[in-house]
Amino acid sequence: MKGLNPLFFILISLLTVSCRLSTGNGMEHQKQKEVSVLRYDKLLNEYVRSNSFSALQKMNMEYRQPTKILIEDVLAIGRVGDDTISQKLKTFYSDTTLLRLMNDVDDRFPNLDHLEEGLTKGFKKLIKEIPSIRIPVIYSQVSALNESIVLTDTLLGISLDKYMGEDYPLYKRFYYDYQRRTMRPDRILPDCFVYYLMGQYPFPFENGNSLVDVMLHYGKINYAVQQILGNHSIYDVLGYSKAEKKWCSSNEERVWEYMVTNGHLYARDPMLIRQYMRPSPVTTFFGEGAPPLIGTWLGSRIISEYMKNHKKVSLQQLLSMTDYKLMLEESNYLD
């Protein structure tokens, strides 16, 4: 058996939010033009608080795949077919902290109208660009602060408990400041499309992947989301603050020159790549004030320049491209 590329494990850890990829038949794709988010979180809450047989029956019959993913992949508390798994699930969520978390989610998200509107507009634009794209069934859940976005071939799950706002008291016990900044309600929409497209266009892991390969791959995904969401800038997609946006504008040429001068651009060292792509502030090379995901930001800037010079390239064609060395050369970036 071939050994796995160590870059794979590092890239998985670089995600701004956790994303679990699973397989299975799941539920059918949404066929209607308007996207609805199924409130699986409310169903779970009803079962845990009221020991509702009706809620449990719906979870096991109408929401079999989300229930299986939650139990086996997200929480890893057993197998969905175990005789006592329903009671184990109820006991798990009966913890005082999780009961409070579910209640807070219910209060914070009484409805998801605004999110559904954004998802509908985004998928309409995406389908216009890529007609073969299918809208997944989208549902919300409470993951006990585990996965933020859950993906399968047919499903996209949103863990609302990971988007309660950066000042949510419980987060301060478990997360760093830079992590809490990504846990805001306004991050749900871009996160959904970033991770959905990452699932549709996975990184082509090969021996010898370089920093520029990783930068431009994640750069094109984030660039595509920027286009899909309309007036969102790359800074909005990445969740940068005004100070970080200003830092990028002032230091873009400096960052590029540093990478070129030190031979980092085509470096294949996974640990070096991680320095540029990790979701924590990149202070190692650029000091205080440098933002996280600096490689993704710069990759998106290069992709933006490439698209300016190749106006006939469609978004679908861009997402299918993997010759990142050639794309960099043809971008004329900072020439």
Side-chain angles (χ1 to χ4, degrees):
M1 183 176 67
K2 293 182 178 179
L4 292 176
N5 189 331
L7 185 57
F8 171 81
F9 296 102
I10 288 181
L11 289 178
I12 290 299
S13 71
L14 299 179
L15 305 183
T16 55
V17 292
S18 299
C19 173
R20 181 70 60 92
L21 296 177
S22 302
T23 57
N25 295 328
M27 296 179 287
E28 294 183 357
H29 287 269
Q30 296 201 40
K31 297 179 180 179
Q32 68 273 21
K33 293 182 180 179
E34 301 299 320
V35 176
S36 297
V37 179
L38 305 176
R39 295 303 300 264
Y40 180 79
D41 62 296
K42 288 184 176 292
L43 199 60
L44 176 64
N45 196 353
E46 181 184 347
Y47 169 59
V48 172
R49 290 186 177 279
S50 305
N51 197 27
S52 169
F53 176 77
S54 174
L56 178 62
Q57 191 173 39
K58 287 182 180 179
M59 289 168 60
N60 290 330
M61 299 300 292
E62 298 178 28
Y63 295 85
R64 285 184 297 174
Q65 194 65 9
T67 300
K68 177 180 173 65
I69 293 169
L70 179 64
I71 289 172
E72 297 184 359
D73 297 332
V74 176
L75 304 179
I77 59 173
R79 309 297 295 178
V80 74
D82 294 346
D83 292 339
T84 61
I85 196 62
S86 297
Q87 184 58 42
K88 185 179 290 187
L89 181 66
K90 183 177 181 298
T91 300
F92 181 89
Y93 278 102
S94 295
D95 173 83
T96 303
T97 300
L98 291 182
L99 286 173
R100 176 62 183 273
L101 179 60
M102 286 195 293
N103 186 62
D104 289 345
V105 166
D106 211 35
D107 291 341
R108 183 69 180 80
F109 298 101
N111 66 72
L112 298 174
D113 295 348
H114 184 67
L115 174 61
E116 291 175 336
E117 180 182 347
L119 288 167
T120 297
K121 290 180 179 179
F123 272 108
K124 282 182 178 178
K125 293 189 76 170
L126 186 57
I127 290 172
K128 186 176 181 180
E129 293 283 347
I130 311 174
S132 61
I133 285 288
R134 300 180 68 192
I135 302 175
V137 170
I138 302 176
Y139 67 95
S140 56
Q141 67 175 1
V142 173
S143 70
L145 301 183
N146 282 291
E147 314 298 339
S148 298
I149 301 293
V150 175
L151 291 174
T152 74
D153 297 334
T154 57
L155 303 176
L156 190 155
I158 303 164
S159 297
L160 296 178
D161 53 317
K162 294 294 291 288
Y163 295 100
M164 294 291 288
E166 58 187 305
D167 294 326
Y168 184 57
L170 187 60
Y171 292 168
K172 295 180 180 180
R173 292 167 50 187
F174 301 108
Y175 298 98
Y176 294 110
D177 290 348
Y178 73 86
Q179 292 173 311
R180 296 202 305 270
R181 284 180 40 217
T182 68
M183 301 170 75
R184 311 187 309 262
D186 63 296
R187 300 300 309 149
I188 299 177
L189 186 61
D191 283 352
C192 284
F193 282 106
V194 165
Y195 289 101
Y196 177 76
L197 287 178
M198 281 169 44
Q200 297 293 310
Y201 299 92
F203 184 78
F205 291 103
E206 299 173 356
N207 289 328
N209 288 128
S210 65
L211 175 60
V212 73
D213 296 326
V214 182
M215 283 173 48
L216 266 62
H217 182 82
Y218 287 95
K220 77 178 182 183
I221 295 292
N222 282 269
Y223 172 87
V225 173
Q226 179 186 339
Q227 307 309 306
I228 292 166
L229 297 183
N231 59 359
H232 286 62
S233 70
I234 184 57
Y235 304 104
D236 294 326
V237 174
L238 293 176
Y240 281 3
S241 65
K242 290 182 179 179
E244 288 170 334
K245 179 179 178 180
K246 182 177 180 181
W247 188 97
C248 289
S249 299
S250 302
N251 290 275
E252 183 170 356
E253 188 170 347
R254 172 189 164 218
V255 171
W256 175 252
E257 289 180 352
Y258 181 89
M259 294 174 67
V260 173
T261 300
N262 290 277
H264 289 177
L265 205 57
Y266 294 101
R268 294 178 171 83
D269 178 3
M271 297 309 296
L272 176 66
I273 292 173
R274 184 178 185 277
Q275 291 292 315
Y276 284 99
M277 305 300 297
R278 65 185 181 182
S280 56
V282 185
T283 57
T284 305
F285 300 138
F286 306 112
E288 294 298 322
L293 298 167
I294 203 167
T296 300
W297 158 67
L298 194 60
S300 180
R301 289 285 301 117
I302 294 171
I303 293 296
S304 179
E305 292 302 308
Y306 175 86
M307 293 300 282
K308 286 179 183 178
N309 292 322
H310 298 80
K311 297 185 182 299
K312 293 184 178 181
V313 173
S314 67
L315 200 62
Q316 183 174 17
Q317 290 171 327
L318 171 67
L319 288 168
S320 298
M321 293 177 177
T322 57
D323 190 343
Y324 297 119
K325 184 175 185 294
L326 179 62
M327 293 174 69
L328 174 61
E329 293 171 353
E330 293 185 351
S331 70
N332 298 322
Y333 177 70
L334 289 185
D335 278 357

